[in-house]
Amino acid sequence: MKRPVRLEPGQKLVLTANRLLDGRTVWWGADGTWDLHIGRAALLDANDAEAALSRAVEQAQHDGVVGVYDAAVKAVTPPEPVTVREKIRAYGPTVHPEFAVETEQ
Amino acid sequence: MSLPVGHYQYDRIDRDFLQARIAEFEGQVNRRLDGTLSEDEFKPLRLMNGLYLQLHAYMLRVAIPYGILDSRQLRKLGEIARRYDRDYGHFTTRQNIQFNWIRLEDTPAILRELAEVDMHAIQTSGNCIRNVTADEYAGAAADELVDPRVHAEILRQWSTLHPEFTFLPRKFKIAISGSPNDRVAARFHDIGILARPGEDGAPVFRIFVGGGLGRTPIIGEELFDSVREEHLLATLEAIVRVYNAHGRRDNIYKARIKILVQAIGVEAYREAVEAELAQMDLERYRLTPEAVAAIRSRFAVPLLEAPSDADAVLAEQRRADPIFDRWVRSNTHVHRDPGHIIATISLKPAGGIPGDATSAQIGRLADLADAYSFGEIRITHLQNVVLGHVRKDRLRDLWLGLAEVGLAEANIGLIGDIVACPGLDYCALANARSIPIAQKLGARFADTALQAEIGALRINISGCINACGHHHAGHIGLLGVDKRGEEFFQLTVGGRAENGAAIGMILGAALPEDETVDAIARLVDCYLGRREGGETFLDTLTRLGHEPFREAAYETV
């Protein structure tokens, strides 16, 4: 079982997953849809995140995503992942600038 | 249809099997998409077909049996890169190719395209006997005693869909070579096989077991010195049976054969194998000369003809062009035929991504293989490409063709020939990025004259303890670790995978990513400043011990 994410002051949680069809990294938005851009992710407190995560896991097949989990971000605009791993998932591989997620619509 | 040079020619049975397997997987994909199969149910099925889910997308790992391709197969890989990926492929440390941007729904179509050229993605994942690797100079090198490809193909046929060995405790890797100079890291494999001629001329096989890298690096131990050809399959069957019966299944980190061999000792393991052999129906597993000949007959033999002055032509071209001469010195190997030479093509451009090739480069390599090496290509476990049979008088033309697509880097075996796993830029298991540090090191030591001055020095980089970049075996090894979400690198020195296999020694505490390149530069400076005569890095390290290098790495300005 995944350990709960420990939040530092100024941090929130976001929900993330991979899309079933193409495996792309996606983020759960305030409008209830999954989006390629972390900038549109919903920022959640720890208590809200637990319920949202449960719902997202239940809805994963319907929503076409796999491997749903929560990740800590700095609560700035746009939210900034705390770990290198989540930054790379959010923005794309650092070795191919042409694949940057920010440049995709 | 003419037979391919270098690898086995499929027959109807092979092709029918692949089509049935693709149809089965397509049904599984469809059931996953409609929700009939959950992700937990689907994951082992997709892995059996080489499909991983990584950080940004699915990754498809395509098998290249014993690392050998023909030009139509390579051309197809380039087409797949262009059509289904983002225009490049990544050659791995197990002689395979990976595509990093694959869509699940495209996978059956990709597998059909691969099957058109007798390729697949089976045995590239899962707890089975993985794709067998072999010497990249097989059938070409002057120092070779036995061409291992026919036996590698026999092992491929034996291991594919082996009913007992589909659910082993853990993955299982076999490498085979027929040279006294180990170019397959035989002692870092679950089973390493070194073939040589026996007294009657038929090959015999020296077999090592229980080697491996990863979390617990161990050098394989000799199980048998001289297994006769007729007993090769029975012996391997017995070795894997013992592992299958007694290997641990309760702890993934202790499930490899190396842990079992260490736990019971190689003598007890040998006794268990001999007991298994004693109760086996050896006739069923007997590898007859006729069976070997039947497999050999499905390989084409290259017609090695060269003009009598081929050697003189090459010598004159080297004299006239020092840049070409430097490439020949680092990137070629002696062929068994005096009119031919083996060319290794570096996929390590200075500042580039080790092992990556664009679809245009892949297509060009296929064209050059057709023009200069009987349409045959080899992928090395050091993430480079080999053309095995190049006429000496045509080598410069090949080199000029390579230069047109940025593939004429003169750095094989030198510090720029860096081995690196995909790391945290792609891999779901990684803790740190391997590629950027490889790029920085490649750029730092880009000067080919400096690389030649430094001499033989291999750097291996892994982004996590699973060690896909074989960092334990690097003369200098880098292991990426995560410290509270930040990347650090642990340095090792003294590893080697060739003859005299050794595991690198950790120099000290892991360094922050932005201090690592400078630390390695100081290691190299330490070596250059203190070497004697014609010493290599490993020679100097052996003579001086680790302490001067540790002091250099951790020196603070």
Side-chain angles (χ1 to χ4, degrees):
Chain A
M1 187 175 166
K2 186 177 178 293
R3 284 180 298 178
V5 177
R6 192 165 42 188
L7 294 179
E8 304 287 338
Q11 294 180 357
K12 297 271 191 179
L13 289 167
V14 294
L15 301 188
T16 183
N18 291 84
R19 261 190 332 221
L20 174 61
L21 275 180
D22 59 9
R24 294 297 306 280
T25 302
V26 286
W27 309 87
W28 188 71
D31 63 354
T33 64
W34 291 94
D35 197 290
L36 284 174
H37 298 272
I38 193 171
R40 293 197 272 269
L43 299 185
L44 305 166
D45 294 320
N47 290 340
D48 297 336
E50 191 173 341
L53 181 60
S54 296
R55 279 196 304 275
V57 169
E58 282 176 20
Q59 285 289 310
Q61 179 67 34
H62 176 269
D63 292 345
V65 296
V66 297
V68 183
Y69 64 94
D70 54 3
V73 295
K74 292 178 187 168
V76 293
T77 305
E80 183 186 328
V82 171
T83 65
V84 175
R85 175 191 167 90
E86 295 306 328
K87 284 176 186 167
I88 291 169
R89 290 184 74 248
Y91 308 134
T94 63
V95 294
H96 278 291
E98 69 275 28
F99 299 159
V101 175
E102 290 99 317
T103 62
E104 296 185 54
Q105 294 303 309
Chain B
M1 183 180 184
S2 60
L3 297 176
V5 167
H7 73 85
Y8 169 83
Q9 172 70 57
Y10 270 24
D11 62 17
R12 188 177 56 78
I13 294 172
D14 297 297
R15 296 193 175 107
D16 288 350
F17 159 68
L18 275 195
Q19 290 302 324
R21 178 67 174 244
I22 295 166
E24 178 187 63
F25 186 55
E26 184 168 41
Q28 292 162 347
V29 169
N30 289 337
R31 282 186 286 147
R32 175 69 190 104
L33 294 178
D34 71 17
T36 311
L37 287 176
S38 69
E39 185 60 20
D40 285 346
E41 292 167 327
F42 180 63
K43 182 178 176 182
L45 302 174
R46 65 170 160 77
L47 290 176
M48 284 181 184
N49 291 281
L51 191 65
Y52 291 70
L53 181 54
Q54 298 284 47
L55 293 188
H56 310 289
Y58 291 93
M59 178 272 281
L60 183 68
R61 183 180 293 156
V62 177
I64 302 175
Y66 32 99
I68 299 186
L69 293 159
D70 61 55
S71 57
R72 83 200 156 108
Q73 292 175 320
L74 187 60
R75 215 165 266 121
K76 175 62 76 177
L77 294 176
E79 290 167 11
I80 287 170
R82 188 163 49 246
R83 182 169 176 189
Y84 296 102
D85 199 88
R86 294 190 171 184
D87 209 31
Y88 72 97
H90 175 76
F91 292 102
T92 78
T93 53
R94 296 216 72 255
Q95 300 183 306
N96 293 321
I97 186 169
Q98 295 180 177
F99 297 107
N100 283 321
W101 296 93
I102 296 300
R103 299 166 62 89
L104 174 60
E105 57 187 343
D106 288 340
T107 310
I110 298 170
L111 294 178
R112 284 209 172 82
E113 293 213 24
L114 288 171
E116 287 174 10
V117 293
D118 303 334
M119 296 188 80
H120 58 71
I122 301 167
Q123 289 176 277
T124 62
S125 180
N127 294 338
C128 61
I129 298 174
R130 299 286 187 90
N131 187 40
V132 174
T133 55
D135 188 337
E136 63 254 30
Y137 301 156
D143 61 16
E144 186 171 84
L145 301 174
V146 173
D147 182 347
R149 291 170 298 177
V150 170
H151 296 90
E153 171 60 26
I154 289 167
L155 298 188
R156 184 190 74 78
Q157 297 193 18
W158 162 72
S159 62
T160 298
L161 290 193
H162 192 301
E164 275 184 55
F165 304 149
T166 302
F167 298 98
L168 293 168
R170 198 73 180 86
K171 59 188 171 184
F172 201 93
K173 298 174 182 176
I174 300 176
I176 182 168
S177 172
S179 168
N181 298 306
D182 183 354
R183 287 184 285 264
V184 298
R187 298 191 70 176
F188 284 126
H189 280 75
D190 297 289
I191 291 179
I193 305 173
L194 300 180
R196 67 180 191 279
E199 290 178 359
D200 60 357
V204 294
F205 301 90
R206 188 178 182 202
I207 296 182
F208 298 96
V209 297
L213 297 169
R215 187 173 299 265
T216 312
I218 292 174
I219 297 171
E221 299 187 60
E222 183 182 295
L223 194 68
F224 298 114
D225 174 59
S226 304
V227 173
R228 293 169 57 188
E229 183 179 62
E230 64 177 323
H231 295 314
L232 177 64
L233 286 185
T235 304
L236 296 178
E237 181 94 6
I239 293 170
V240 186
R241 274 189 184 176
V242 170
Y243 167 57
N244 202 20
H246 300 290
R248 289 182 61 172
R249 294 173 189 270
D250 61 323
N251 183 339
I252 190 173
Y253 302 122
K254 296 184 184 298
R256 298 288 291 268
I257 190 176
K258 60 190 175 187
I259 303 296
L260 177 61
V261 172
Q262 291 301 306
I264 67 173
V266 72
E267 290 80 13
Y269 202 97
R270 187 181 299 114
E271 287 171 14
V273 170
E274 287 169 343
E276 183 64 32
L277 283 165
Q279 61 87 42
M280 285 170 63
D281 176 5
L282 294 182
E283 198 54 41
R284 182 176 170 217
Y285 294 95
R286 188 177 302 281
L287 194 52
T288 64
E290 294 75 23
V292 176
I295 298 293
R296 182 172 284 117
S297 72
R298 300 191 70 79
F299 285 74
V301 177
L303 189 59
L304 297 173
E305 292 179 336
S308 58
D309 65 346
D311 201 47
V313 169
L314 174 59
E316 178 51 36
Q317 289 172 336
R318 292 180 69 172
R319 269 193 295 275
D321 185 343
I323 298 174
F324 173 59
D325 179 61
R326 180 169 292 150
W327 181 81
V328 176
R329 269 188 274 145
S330 57
N331 290 46
T332 63
H333 190 83
V334 182
H335 196 283
R336 60 185 163 83
D337 179 78
H340 287 75
I341 197 164
I342 301 169
T344 302
I345 299 159
S346 172
L347 297 183
K348 319 289 177 57
I353 299 177
D356 271 16
T358 64
S359 67
Q361 288 176 321
I362 292 171
R364 184 68 175 143
L365 283 172
D367 295 341
L368 292 169
D370 279 337
Y372 296 101
S373 194
F374 302 91
E376 182 215 63
I377 304 99
R378 297 115 182 276
I379 309 304
T380 82
H381 77 286
L382 302 171
Q383 300 178 287
N384 294 309
V385 172
V386 167
L387 297 186
H389 312 287
V390 182
R391 243 173 58 185
K392 283 182 174 174
D393 57 317
R394 302 187 69 204
L395 184 65
R396 189 163 188 277
D397 291 339
L398 166 65
W399 175 72
L400 291 171
L402 291 169
E404 289 173 3
V405 285
L407 292 173
E409 202 77 29
N411 62 9
I412 295 300
L414 305 178
I415 196 169
D417 185 10
I418 298 168
V419 171
C421 69
L424 190 55
D425 276 299
Y426 295 97
C427 178
L429 300 175
N431 292 319
R433 292 171 296 157
S434 305
I435 296 170
I437 202 96
Q439 290 176 302
K440 290 175 188 172
L441 285 166
R444 181 71 165 254
F445 295 101
D447 182 345
T448 51
L450 173 62
Q451 292 192 51
E453 168 68 13
I454 294 168
L457 205 175
R458 186 171 300 291
I459 295 180
N460 290 60
I461 308 172
S462 301
C464 78
I465 195 65
N466 293 301
C468 293
H470 300 175
H471 64 278
H472 301 294
H475 302 167
I476 296 175
L478 282 74
L479 166 64
V481 295
D482 176 316
K483 288 193 175 183
R484 297 179 61 81
E486 300 296 327
E487 297 165 298
F488 281 65
F489 286 89
Q490 189 179 74
L491 304 186
T492 56
V493 294
R496 68 187 79 180
E498 54 271 21
N499 289 1
I503 295 164
M505 176 179 282
I506 297 171
L507 275 183
L511 293 164
E513 189 268 350
D514 60 1
E515 294 179 20
T516 302
V517 173
D518 285 342
I520 289 172
R522 291 195 296 271
L523 281 181
V524 174
D525 285 344
C526 174
Y527 152 62
L528 291 176
R530 302 187 65 167
R531 71 177 171 185
E532 294 179 354
E535 281 185 338
T536 64
F537 175 81
L538 285 181
D539 293 335
T540 305
L541 176 68
T542 302
R543 178 171 55 81
L544 295 177
H546 293 76
E547 193 53 29
F549 293 92
R550 193 192 64 74
E551 286 176 8
Y554 292 93
E555 173 188 302
T556 50
V557 180

